[in-house]
Amino acid sequence: MKRLMSGNEAAARGAYEAGVTVAAAYPGTPSTEITESIAKYNNIYAEWSPNEKVALEVAIGAAFAGARAICAMKHVGLNVAADPLFTVSYTGINGGLVLMIADDPGMHSSQNEQDSRHYARAAKVPMLEPSDSQECLDYVKQAFEISESFDCPVIVRLSTRISHSQSAVETGERVDYQLKYYTKDINKYVMMPAMARRRHVEVEKRMLALQEYAETANLNTIEWGSKKIGVITSGIAYQYAKEAFGDVSYLKIGMVYPLPEQLIARFASEVETLYVVEELEPFLENEIKKNGIKVIGKEFLPVIGELTAQLIKEKLLGVKQEVNEPLMENIPLRPPVMCPGCPHRGLHYVLSKLKLNVIGDIGCYTLGAQPPTESLNSVICMGASIGNALGMEKARGAEFAKKTVAILGDSTFIHSGITGLIDVVYNKGNSTVIIPDNSTTGMTGHQDNPTTGLTIKGEVTRQVDLVKLARAIGVDRVRVADPFDIQELKKIVKEEIASPEPSVIISQRPCALLKNVKHAGALKIDMEKCKKCRKCLAIGCPALADKGDFIEVNEALCVGCRLCTKVCSFNAFETSDSAEKAGALNG
Amino acid sequence: MDNLNIMIVGVGGQGTLLASRILGAVALKKDYAVKLSEVHGMAQRGGSVVTYVKFGRKIHSPLIEKHEADILLAFEELEALRWADYVKDEGMIIINSQKIDPMPVIVGKAKYPSEIVRTLSQKYKNVFTLDALKIALQCGNIKVVNIVLLGLMAAKTAIEKQIWDEALKEIVPEKLLEVNVEAFNAGYHAIQD
């Protein structure tokens, strides 16, 4: 039966059909739904791991033990998991091991747009790249076959438009995969120098064998059309190229590393003009040019952002789509914002009022960098805030630390903030670390994590106690505050930055979008009491509107969190008559 | 059939994703090739969001680009304006008459444009507006705004009503089906030709 599936759902289905029994991941857009979908299959163990490195280590363990295992993450997650990847490339596997890596060209929801194909070459592992949902399913299954045939992990690379586009998929049956025999094998699995040197030889042999496999693999296909133009392309770029070029010849690369060099040379020799169409880096292009083949690619196509069919037509064929003039100049932008009722809003309001240096991290609270609070100084990567803050303190001294806080969410703290906090204690820093604990992993769409007390399957589990954890690390000053009690929070932050020792403030209030969070219902403004001072607009609530002559509450958006009442000096907010309208935000 | 390109635009959180799932079910019932594309993650947090739905014989790119959309279904006025140049000259724009101020407007750095519907109507012949929020409230559930709009859009396509009804039944959870069917029908009959 044909079903409409996103690339992520189809990849999950592929894992199911391949007989996978262990799946581990840390959520990250656009990869999150792969593991969410896998978790719905009863006969697969699935987990949210604390971070991508642990996730890959769990998957490696399962593969060593003889199971088929899968591990999913976004492109930057692979930076975290790179350490085990480079060495499991040496050991090889036992049961099949597949890594799903989702790139984010255009940075819809990421801090950089690195091209993960470089990892395949650097770690010497094969990489497949599907171009629609059906291929996501098929390639995942084939990746397990390759993994076991060549004794290596296999990466399947997705991108945002593959992960989050839906197309029809023909599903199949799950294979009855039997655990492979497991035996202790020091020479294969213990990577000390003597053994690793021998394994590296195996890696090089394997890459040659894989290159030969690529020449005839059904993953790389030629579609002959007019031979005036040949296009070498892969992944989502293939779809754009098909639309831009129409009836020409295509070499569609399904295995982007290692490349089928002879097949490419044969294809190149039969077409008059050869283009390479790929998103981000000239990865295919450089590999092809290395063999002396003349191709046109990144001299015209951008290395920045996503491609589109129109962009390819314009840059490579000189055909510009006629478009209408914009109907209006200066249409206001609509950047993402913290939701109505978001607990982070109170925290960012306090931080901006105190004019602190706020060293940020990855999560919904990163949105505090936007107007009106503009409260962040820097954001690098998951867990970076604490180390960054300590480094600033060591560079500029203790006085600077008294005006500085690090801020990172509950899930991000567990991911890679704990080690930063240990560094602060160990190396005698004074840093103040604020953990906005919203009882979920918010930005990626509400995944449980070790602090929520629930597993990915919704089972109750032991909950990490952030207060006890911070104390155990050696932080004596641990405070818990409600971000909607602005005065109290402000007092606590002031006390903690002034103290000459490390401190942790847990700013605790659940995400407003969680199902178990009840909302009181919309507020409205008493026009007689409102003095139009506009102080309430400084909290940056999307449910408030400045109508020029008056301020208005958008009752369809307001959830009645009452944060605005805490900053209003005139008591102008009151409960709306239509408070039952609350909850208009319906994902 | 010829290709049919539909864009659903709105503000993150407005429920554009359910509408696109129903469209997907419709396509499968009609045995059309279909691709749906949407963005998750940060953009969903109150930002400008867009879902592309493409029906046809063979679909390659999941994206709809400028001047390619047959129908623009806008859940919010400013978003209709923002994405209007994606619509073909002879295309159709359906607008929910709801205004949600974006943050630059709230903090006084920009002005919410006035006369959006009039501006669009001057350029495009097929512009329809509907107070879907009001109709949703009449149906007794503010959350069905998306289905009211989908109903209006369905009436403007050549796809049989029965197909839509079946798709609704398939996608909407049992306990919410009644109110959604009511909302869909209200939208379907909201504007008579």
Side-chain angles (χ1 to χ4, degrees), chain A residues 66-189:
Chain A
R68 283 191 165 177
I70 196 164
C71 178
M73 61 197 73
K74 67 184 296 177
H75 59 329
V76 286
L78 187 52
N79 301 334
V80 180
D83 203 358
L85 172 67
F86 277 66
T87 303
V88 75
S89 168
Y90 276 33
T91 60
I93 45 87
N94 183 22
L97 175 63
V98 171
L99 283 78
M100 304 298 305
I101 308 298
D103 284 7
D104 189 17
M107 294 177 276
H108 296 279
S109 203
S110 302
Q111 67 270 37
N112 75 32
E113 56 182 341
Q114 68 189 48
D115 187 329
S116 61
R117 292 177 297 176
H118 293 306
Y119 269 110
R121 187 166 51 204
K124 305 201 170 192
V125 296
M127 178 182 265
L128 313 187
E129 189 174 22
S131 72
D132 63 15
S133 296
Q134 182 69 57
E135 286 182 0
C136 285
L137 188 153
D138 297 340
Y139 283 21
V140 166
K141 287 165 79 174
Q142 193 159 350
F144 278 102
E145 299 297 331
I146 296 170
S147 172
E148 289 173 7
S149 303
F150 294 90
D151 189 16
C152 62
V154 177
I155 300 176
V156 178
R157 180 201 189 216
L158 308 178
S159 62
T160 300
R161 301 297 182 181
I162 295 294
S163 285
H164 290 162
S165 291
Q166 299 175 39
S167 52
V169 174
E170 197 79 58
T171 57
E173 296 297 314
R174 178 169 165 94
V175 300
D176 183 21
Y177 185 83
Q178 300 297 317
L179 270 184
K180 290 202 162 176
Y181 177 71
Y182 174 70
T183 183
K184 182 170 166 178
D185 183 346
I186 288 177
N187 284 318
K188 179 166 163 59
Y189 295 121

Side-chain angles (χ1 to χ4, degrees), chain A residues 446-459:
Chain A
H446 301 109
Q447 290 72 34
D448 280 293
N449 68 55
T451 72
T452 68
L454 291 173
T455 70
I456 190 172
K457 301 231 181 194
E459 295 155 357

Side-chain angles (χ1 to χ4, degrees), chain B residues 6-18:
Chain B
I6 302 169
M7 284 172 75
I8 307 174
V9 302
V11 178
Q14 276 193 306
T16 53
L17 301 189
L18 179 64

Side-chain angles (χ1 to χ4, degrees), chain A residues 180-403:
Chain A
K180 290 202 162 176
Y181 177 71
Y182 174 70
T183 183
K184 182 170 166 178
D185 183 346
I186 288 177
N187 284 318
K188 179 166 163 59
Y189 295 121
V190 180
M191 284 303 92
M192 295 167 71
M195 295 76 135
R197 281 181 204 121
R198 288 195 294 270
R199 288 303 304 175
H200 190 181
V201 176
E202 295 303 316
V203 170
E204 298 304 326
K205 280 192 210 159
R206 172 185 84 209
M207 291 319 291
L208 288 176
L210 276 162
Q211 196 155 2
E212 211 175 299
Y213 169 81
E215 297 292 350
T216 54
N218 60 351
L219 295 160
N220 304 317
T221 52
I222 292 177
E223 298 168 23
W224 289 116
S226 156
K227 293 191 175 179
K228 282 201 173 321
I229 288 179
V231 180
I232 300 177
T233 181
S234 72
I236 190 66
Y238 163 78
Q239 305 291 1
Y240 301 144
K242 285 288 276 189
E243 226 170 272
F245 285 96
D247 179 35
V248 300
S249 296
Y250 297 88
L251 171 51
K252 178 174 174 295
I253 303 286
M255 184 163 172
V256 292
Y257 193 79
L259 283 176
E261 293 183 0
Q262 291 162 31
L263 183 68
I264 289 169
R266 269 205 314 279
F267 181 76
S269 70
E270 296 211 28
V271 295
E272 278 178 37
T273 311
L274 184 59
Y275 294 98
V276 173
V277 178
E278 59 191 320
E279 265 179 346
L280 299 179
E281 296 295 304
F283 182 85
L284 303 176
E285 183 177 334
N286 289 348
E287 291 281 320
I288 294 166
K289 278 182 172 166
K290 214 168 63 184
N291 292 331
I293 295 169
K294 201 169 159 279
V295 297
I296 303 166
K298 291 294 173 182
E299 58 198 284
F300 297 111
L301 289 175
V303 294
I304 297 169
E306 296 184 283
L307 296 180
T308 66
Q310 283 183 12
L311 184 73
I312 294 167
K313 267 190 211 166
E314 185 188 327
K315 300 286 179 191
L316 295 183
L317 300 174
V319 182
K320 208 165 155 48
Q321 168 85 357
E322 274 183 46
V323 294
N324 292 322
E325 291 295 308
L327 289 170
M328 219 177 264
E329 296 296 320
N330 305 319
I331 296 175
L333 296 175
R334 190 186 298 278
V337 290
M338 289 177 265
C339 304
C342 177
H344 301 322
R345 180 167 291 110
L347 174 60
H348 278 292
Y349 178 75
V350 166
L351 296 176
S352 68
K353 284 285 150 195
L354 291 173
K355 297 191 167 54
L356 298 177
N357 298 303
V358 181
I359 313 308
D361 223 299
I362 308 282
C364 283
Y365 46 89
T366 316
L367 293 168
Q370 309 245 48
T373 53
E374 296 178 310
S375 47
L376 296 191
N377 291 43
S378 63
V379 172
I380 294 291
C381 66
M382 290 288 290
S385 57
I386 304 179
N388 291 164
L390 180 65
M392 287 177 132
E393 175 186 339
K394 296 299 180 188
R396 303 190 73 89
E399 281 309 303
F400 188 81
K402 288 185 178 167
K403 292 177 290 182

Side-chain angles (χ1 to χ4, degrees), chain B residues 40-51:
Chain B
H40 302 201
M42 185 178 262
Q44 273 185 301
R45 300 281 169 257
S48 168
V49 292
V50 54
T51 301

Side-chain angles (χ1 to χ4, degrees), chain A residues 434-452:
Chain A
I434 300 177
I435 304 176
D437 174 10
N438 62 353
S439 310
T440 190
T441 311
M443 184 64 90
T444 44
H446 301 109
Q447 290 72 34
D448 280 293
N449 68 55
T451 72
T452 68

